[in-house]
Amino acid sequence: MTNFKLTELNEQAIQYIAVGAAVLGTGGGGDPHIGKLMALEAIRKYGPVRVVSPEDLEDDALVVPLSMIGAPTVMNEKIPSTEQMTKPLDLIEKELGRKVNAIMPIEVGGGNSLVPVIAAAERGIPLLDADAMGRAFPESQMVTFYLDGMDCSPITMADERGNAVLMHAIDGVWEERMARAITIQMGGSASICDYPATGAQVKQSAVHHTLTLAYEIGKILYESKDMRQNPIDALLKHLHGYALFHGKAVDIRRRTEGGFTRGEAVFEGTDAQKGRTMRLFFQNEFLLATEDGHSLAVTPDLISLLDQDTGMPITTENLKYGARVTAVGFPCDPKWRTAKGLETVGPQYFGYDVPYVPIEKLTTQKGDAR
């Protein structure tokens, strides 16, 4: 599977990517089921979408990320239309005075990994096998493009009523402030294009082949039962990941606030881990897992919840009382472990008074590494 290269999105590929992106989405990035349904409808209507690799782009190609911004819980109730997906793209082409050569997901996590498929299918534009996070994060500046000092503007947004916005921000932090305020006025969810990039910039700054990785994850989880493999063990082996906790959800506190789904969940250990308690904190994405006040995994490393039986991922908005889960963790892209990366997405930024310790070190200390 390591030599596999995704070249086209058909129905099976979308099924796999929806599941794999939910794992990489660390609980956020929008409901993968909604993204999957929208993407499937688009390719059934317009045909499969061609996938291109970053290394195949011309240096002067125009690549535009397309995503949804807002609280994932809102998107579940307000499913975007094709028009809402293509309107920001039309507006950015008009502003830049040229056609887009490729569309890309801004994050590989959750539904946002498949949102660009809708516009790519309708417009016949290739989809780039890359993103700007290698996971999902809740805010606009939390992208590798920001780490490399790229311009986030022009920024275009649209809602389901037909409203559209064009704006220029001095950096990703100001984009987040303005775009989040607009999103709230648009009902808590909006489509957005930002960080238009050249092919050369994408080659340098994006996280490459993440759609292929999501495809491989989904394939593992779908096929492991047929191959008589434990799905979680197979996944951890493929991603060099770690099992953090096995248990059931006993308390979930979730609220929509400031355009985010925020909260925490408490899990009690089951079977061999009876007596253990894990707390999981989230802002759209799972950001911190603790036990007895000690960190099990910390942002920017990835934390995901998997169903104990099937290995299928569980998002923040779909987590329910009594769910039996295995919490797993994976190392983040090295770009996030730089000083600017940790300043942008580390625990202190989100208000957690814990140091960032790489998951490899935390799990080795506890003896839980796989």
Side-chain angles (χ1 to χ4, degrees), residues 105-129:
I106 196 70
E107 59 188 348
V108 76
N112 259 342
S113 61
L114 291 171
V115 159
V117 175
I118 301 152
E122 198 272 344
R123 293 298 157 88
I125 302 172
L127 186 66
L128 187 69
D129 187 6

mmCIF file of all heavy atoms in Angstrom, residues 105-129:
data_model
loop_
_atom_site.group_PDB
_atom_site.id
_atom_site.type_symbol
_atom_site.label_atom_id
_atom_site.label_comp_id
_atom_site.label_asym_id
_atom_site.label_seq_id
_atom_site.Cartn_x
_atom_site.Cartn_y
_atom_site.Cartn_z
ATOM 1 N N PRO A 105 -8.003 20.488 -0.545
ATOM 2 C CA PRO A 105 -8.560 20.655 0.802
ATOM 3 C C PRO A 105 -7.585 21.443 1.662
ATOM 4 O O PRO A 105 -6.370 21.253 1.565
ATOM 5 C CB PRO A 105 -8.716 19.222 1.304
ATOM 6 C CG PRO A 105 -7.742 18.421 0.502
ATOM 7 C CD PRO A 105 -7.561 19.117 -0.807
ATOM 8 N N ILE A 106 -8.102 22.344 2.486
ATOM 9 C CA ILE A 106 -7.222 23.077 3.400
ATOM 10 C C ILE A 106 -6.778 22.160 4.547
ATOM 11 O O ILE A 106 -5.693 22.309 5.097
ATOM 12 C CB ILE A 106 -7.910 24.340 3.955
ATOM 13 C CG1 ILE A 106 -6.894 25.304 4.567
ATOM 14 C CG2 ILE A 106 -8.996 23.980 4.949
ATOM 15 C CD1 ILE A 106 -5.982 25.991 3.586
ATOM 16 N N GLU A 107 -7.636 21.192 4.877
ATOM 17 C CA GLU A 107 -7.300 20.202 5.907
ATOM 18 C C GLU A 107 -7.764 18.840 5.417
ATOM 19 O O GLU A 107 -8.741 18.736 4.668
ATOM 20 C CB GLU A 107 -7.954 20.547 7.247
ATOM 21 C CG GLU A 107 -9.464 20.636 7.203
ATOM 22 C CD GLU A 107 -10.085 21.176 8.482
ATOM 23 O OE1 GLU A 107 -9.380 21.290 9.505
ATOM 24 O OE2 GLU A 107 -11.295 21.484 8.464
ATOM 25 N N VAL A 108 -7.054 17.791 5.827
ATOM 26 C CA VAL A 108 -7.430 16.450 5.393
ATOM 27 C C VAL A 108 -8.452 15.839 6.334
ATOM 28 O O VAL A 108 -8.932 14.748 6.112
ATOM 29 C CB VAL A 108 -6.182 15.546 5.268
ATOM 30 C CG1 VAL A 108 -5.683 15.111 6.632
ATOM 31 C CG2 VAL A 108 -6.458 14.354 4.375
ATOM 32 N N GLY A 109 -8.813 16.569 7.373
ATOM 33 C CA GLY A 109 -9.680 16.001 8.391
ATOM 34 C C GLY A 109 -11.158 16.081 8.087
ATOM 35 O O GLY A 109 -11.644 17.080 7.556
ATOM 36 N N GLY A 110 -11.896 15.038 8.424
ATOM 37 C CA GLY A 110 -13.337 15.049 8.401
ATOM 38 C C GLY A 110 -13.928 15.414 7.049
ATOM 39 O O GLY A 110 -13.375 15.142 5.986
ATOM 40 N N GLY A 111 -15.100 16.067 7.098
ATOM 41 C CA GLY A 111 -15.811 16.425 5.886
ATOM 42 C C GLY A 111 -15.062 17.385 4.996
ATOM 43 O O GLY A 111 -15.276 17.417 3.779
ATOM 44 N N ASN A 112 -14.181 18.195 5.575
ATOM 45 C CA ASN A 112 -13.457 19.186 4.773
ATOM 46 C C ASN A 112 -12.489 18.564 3.770
ATOM 47 O O ASN A 112 -12.045 19.231 2.847
ATOM 48 C CB ASN A 112 -12.709 20.173 5.675
ATOM 49 C CG ASN A 112 -13.462 21.485 5.805
ATOM 50 O OD1 ASN A 112 -14.336 21.806 5.001
ATOM 51 N ND2 ASN A 112 -13.122 22.248 6.820
ATOM 52 N N SER A 113 -12.162 17.299 3.950
ATOM 53 C CA SER A 113 -11.310 16.629 2.962
ATOM 54 C C SER A 113 -12.080 16.381 1.671
ATOM 55 O O SER A 113 -11.470 16.280 0.592
ATOM 56 C CB SER A 113 -10.808 15.298 3.517
ATOM 57 O OG SER A 113 -11.907 14.450 3.810
ATOM 58 N N LEU A 114 -13.426 16.298 1.771
ATOM 59 C CA LEU A 114 -14.241 15.973 0.601
ATOM 60 C C LEU A 114 -15.044 17.150 0.064
ATOM 61 O O LEU A 114 -15.595 17.080 -1.037
ATOM 62 C CB LEU A 114 -15.187 14.814 0.941
ATOM 63 C CG LEU A 114 -14.489 13.471 1.156
ATOM 64 C CD1 LEU A 114 -15.451 12.437 1.698
ATOM 65 C CD2 LEU A 114 -13.858 12.975 -0.143
ATOM 66 N N VAL A 115 -15.132 18.234 0.824
ATOM 67 C CA VAL A 115 -15.852 19.425 0.358
ATOM 68 C C VAL A 115 -15.340 19.908 -1.005
ATOM 69 O O VAL A 115 -16.142 20.241 -1.892
ATOM 70 C CB VAL A 115 -15.764 20.545 1.420
ATOM 71 C CG1 VAL A 115 -16.028 21.918 0.816
ATOM 72 C CG2 VAL A 115 -16.763 20.270 2.545
ATOM 73 N N PRO A 116 -14.016 19.948 -1.255
ATOM 74 C CA PRO A 116 -13.547 20.430 -2.555
ATOM 75 C C PRO A 116 -13.966 19.554 -3.736
ATOM 76 O O PRO A 116 -13.957 20.014 -4.874
ATOM 77 C CB PRO A 116 -12.016 20.427 -2.413
ATOM 78 C CG PRO A 116 -11.757 20.401 -0.954
ATOM 79 C CD PRO A 116 -12.895 19.659 -0.349
ATOM 80 N N VAL A 117 -14.318 18.286 -3.466
ATOM 81 C CA VAL A 117 -14.727 17.379 -4.538
ATOM 82 C C VAL A 117 -15.954 17.927 -5.264
ATOM 83 O O VAL A 117 -16.097 17.772 -6.483
ATOM 84 C CB VAL A 117 -15.028 15.975 -3.973
ATOM 85 C CG1 VAL A 117 -15.582 15.051 -5.054
ATOM 86 C CG2 VAL A 117 -13.774 15.378 -3.347
ATOM 87 N N ILE A 118 -16.828 18.586 -4.531
ATOM 88 C CA ILE A 118 -18.071 19.088 -5.116
ATOM 89 C C ILE A 118 -17.775 20.106 -6.205
ATOM 90 O O ILE A 118 -18.266 20.005 -7.334
ATOM 91 C CB ILE A 118 -18.953 19.700 -4.013
ATOM 92 C CG1 ILE A 118 -19.258 18.642 -2.956
ATOM 93 C CG2 ILE A 118 -20.239 20.274 -4.585
ATOM 94 C CD1 ILE A 118 -19.495 19.179 -1.593
ATOM 95 N N ALA A 119 -16.936 21.092 -5.885
ATOM 96 C CA ALA A 119 -16.583 22.109 -6.881
ATOM 97 C C ALA A 119 -15.699 21.533 -7.976
ATOM 98 O O ALA A 119 -15.835 21.888 -9.149
ATOM 99 C CB ALA A 119 -15.886 23.279 -6.197
ATOM 100 N N ALA A 120 -14.775 20.630 -7.614
ATOM 101 C CA ALA A 120 -13.886 20.029 -8.610
ATOM 102 C C ALA A 120 -14.688 19.242 -9.646
ATOM 103 O O ALA A 120 -14.428 19.321 -10.850
ATOM 104 C CB ALA A 120 -12.864 19.126 -7.923
ATOM 105 N N ALA A 121 -15.689 18.491 -9.181
ATOM 106 C CA ALA A 121 -16.514 17.705 -10.099
ATOM 107 C C ALA A 121 -17.355 18.607 -10.991
ATOM 108 O O ALA A 121 -17.426 18.407 -12.212
ATOM 109 C CB ALA A 121 -17.413 16.757 -9.304
ATOM 110 N N GLU A 122 -17.977 19.613 -10.399
ATOM 111 C CA GLU A 122 -18.876 20.487 -11.157
ATOM 112 C C GLU A 122 -18.117 21.315 -12.194
ATOM 113 O O GLU A 122 -18.601 21.541 -13.300
ATOM 114 C CB GLU A 122 -19.628 21.397 -10.178
ATOM 115 C CG GLU A 122 -20.880 22.033 -10.761
ATOM 116 C CD GLU A 122 -20.608 23.360 -11.458
ATOM 117 O OE1 GLU A 122 -19.521 23.946 -11.244
ATOM 118 O OE2 GLU A 122 -21.474 23.812 -12.225
ATOM 119 N N ARG A 123 -16.898 21.737 -11.846
ATOM 120 C CA ARG A 123 -16.117 22.588 -12.734
ATOM 121 C C ARG A 123 -15.107 21.816 -13.583
ATOM 122 O O ARG A 123 -14.441 22.405 -14.439
ATOM 123 C CB ARG A 123 -15.375 23.663 -11.908
ATOM 124 C CG ARG A 123 -16.315 24.660 -11.264
ATOM 125 C CD ARG A 123 -17.107 25.425 -12.326
ATOM 126 N NE ARG A 123 -18.329 25.975 -11.814
ATOM 127 C CZ ARG A 123 -18.431 27.164 -11.237
ATOM 128 N NH1 ARG A 123 -17.361 27.926 -11.096
ATOM 129 N NH2 ARG A 123 -19.595 27.590 -10.812
ATOM 130 N N GLY A 124 -14.927 20.527 -13.337
ATOM 131 C CA GLY A 124 -13.965 19.755 -14.104
ATOM 132 C C GLY A 124 -12.527 20.134 -13.816
ATOM 133 O O GLY A 124 -11.654 20.067 -14.682
ATOM 134 N N ILE A 125 -12.257 20.531 -12.577
ATOM 135 C CA ILE A 125 -10.923 20.954 -12.154
ATOM 136 C C ILE A 125 -10.285 19.835 -11.332
ATOM 137 O O ILE A 125 -10.961 19.236 -10.488
ATOM 138 C CB ILE A 125 -10.997 22.250 -11.312
ATOM 139 C CG1 ILE A 125 -11.672 23.367 -12.118
ATOM 140 C CG2 ILE A 125 -9.601 22.692 -10.869
ATOM 141 C CD1 ILE A 125 -11.959 24.611 -11.287
ATOM 142 N N PRO A 126 -9.000 19.526 -11.516
ATOM 143 C CA PRO A 126 -8.362 18.464 -10.721
ATOM 144 C C PRO A 126 -8.319 18.798 -9.235
ATOM 145 O O PRO A 126 -8.296 19.978 -8.842
ATOM 146 C CB PRO A 126 -6.944 18.382 -11.301
ATOM 147 C CG PRO A 126 -7.003 19.073 -12.616
ATOM 148 C CD PRO A 126 -8.074 20.099 -12.520
ATOM 149 N N LEU A 127 -8.267 17.759 -8.418
ATOM 150 C CA LEU A 127 -8.123 17.888 -6.976
ATOM 151 C C LEU A 127 -6.691 17.532 -6.595
ATOM 152 O O LEU A 127 -6.148 16.533 -7.066
ATOM 153 C CB LEU A 127 -9.102 16.953 -6.268
ATOM 154 C CG LEU A 127 -9.199 17.049 -4.745
ATOM 155 C CD1 LEU A 127 -9.780 18.385 -4.320
ATOM 156 C CD2 LEU A 127 -10.062 15.915 -4.196
ATOM 157 N N LEU A 128 -6.074 18.342 -5.748
ATOM 158 C CA LEU A 128 -4.681 18.123 -5.359
ATOM 159 C C LEU A 128 -4.584 17.148 -4.196
ATOM 160 O O LEU A 128 -5.309 17.259 -3.206
ATOM 161 C CB LEU A 128 -4.024 19.450 -4.973
ATOM 162 C CG LEU A 128 -2.521 19.393 -4.708
ATOM 163 C CD1 LEU A 128 -1.755 19.119 -5.992
ATOM 164 C CD2 LEU A 128 -2.035 20.674 -4.058
ATOM 165 N N ASP A 129 -3.656 16.205 -4.307
ATOM 166 C CA ASP A 129 -3.416 15.207 -3.262
ATOM 167 C C ASP A 129 -2.487 15.802 -2.204
ATOM 168 O O ASP A 129 -1.327 15.411 -2.063
ATOM 169 C CB ASP A 129 -2.802 13.951 -3.888
ATOM 170 C CG ASP A 129 -2.682 12.794 -2.896
ATOM 171 O OD1 ASP A 129 -3.184 12.924 -1.762
ATOM 172 O OD2 ASP A 129 -2.079 11.765 -3.267
#
